[in-house]
DNA sequence: CCAAACCATTTCAGTTGCGAAACGAATATG
DNA sequence: CATATTCGTTTCGCAACTGAAATGGTTTGG
């Protein structure tokens, strides 16, 4: 038995959080976009387009477009690397932090419900 | 303090699972599609188009299209309700069960990693 | 100091998704 | 019966995303 999270409980946690997220009328990000956002915020910098593309195993243009979307949303910003101006460094914003914080609340709440409902 | 899952741990769990999901070369489902799939498998039947649309707070055509995609993928199937032939009952398939089982593994594995990495 | 290598972006053609409105089929209501 | 209502689906125009290939800047190396 896994210690923290059985298979069904994990799925139900994911379901509750995902349904809550879908029901929200906000900017609905694709899986890639959200994965990118989370990677930038939870993984040690610096973050370049090439590095992110490798990490997510998608093409570079896909990262560029996801950055367009996320920076247009205000969740991320680009900064040219001063030491090598070919590089673009992806950085966090206050707005992105707030958004992810709300998303974390949503997940933890869903986890609480899943425990309460499916529990022993 | 939340008992099972702190905010940062929840985000990191989500990140790991989502990145793993994005990296996999499989059918990449949208958030809606996955939410629909999970709802059908983890919520008591019967499931109609109208009911699912209300549950996810999206339009009926959106559900129809998601069903097209998911049944084309073999994860779900439609069956006309014999007692009221206007209704469409959405049902599970073996293939969908297998897919969700693999997805659950992915989440539990990510949960284990998140505990191991970020833990005390 | 000029060419090669590298980085991110843009362009291109094609796919997929969306909401609103119109639609045919099935059931309920008078 | 005829009409209204309720299903799910289809059509329409439009927006967003995809990978591959081409482009414009920047840095490195001979």
């Amino acid at each position: 038995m896994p210690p923290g999270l059985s298979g069904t409980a994990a799925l139900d946690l994911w379901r509750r959080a995902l349904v809550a997220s879908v029901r929200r009328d906000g900017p609905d990000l694709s899986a890639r976009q959200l994965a990118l956002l989370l990677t930038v915020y939870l993984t040690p910098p610096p973050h370049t387009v090439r590095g992110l593309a490798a990490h997510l195993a998608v093409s570079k243009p896909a990262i560029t477009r996801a950055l367009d979307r996320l920076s247009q949303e205000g969740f991320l910003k680009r900064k040219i690397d001063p030491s090598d101006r070919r590089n673009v460094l992806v950085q966090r914003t206050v707005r992105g932090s707030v958004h992810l914080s709300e998303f974390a609340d949503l997940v933890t709440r869903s986890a609480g419900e899943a425990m309460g409902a499916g529990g022993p």
Side-chain angles (χ1 to χ4, degrees), chain A:
Chain A
M1 286 284 217
L5 211 52
S6 82
T8 304
L11 275 192
D12 201 47
L13 160 59
W14 206 268
R15 176 184 70 82
R16 288 171 191 272
L18 195 54
V19 168
S21 170
V22 165
R23 289 182 64 95
R24 289 175 106 61
D25 54 335
D28 57 306
L29 306 175
S30 73
R32 283 189 182 182
Q33 290 163 354
L34 184 55
L36 175 55
L37 188 63
L38 287 169
T39 297
V40 170
Y41 275 79
L42 299 177
T43 276
H47 301 289
T48 65
V49 172
R50 172 162 288 278
L52 292 167
H55 184 65
L56 296 179
V58 300
S59 68
K60 262 188 309 178
I63 298 292
T64 292
R65 282 183 293 254
L67 288 179
D68 288 346
R69 181 85 163 77
L70 291 170
S71 65
Q72 167 191 342
E73 216 59 67
F75 293 159
L76 241 46
K77 66 184 171 194
R78 291 185 240 231
K79 175 170 170 38
I80 294 184
D81 183 349
S83 73
D84 182 345
R85 296 156 52 114
R86 290 172 300 182
N87 287 337
V88 164
L89 304 177
V90 182
Q91 300 182 319
R92 311 172 191 176
T93 64
V94 172
R95 201 162 162 206
S97 297
V98 170
H99 182 75
L100 282 192
S101 177
E102 291 173 358
F103 186 75
D105 281 358
L106 194 143
V107 176
T108 51
R109 236 192 301 281
S110 299
E113 293 174 11
M115 297 291 180

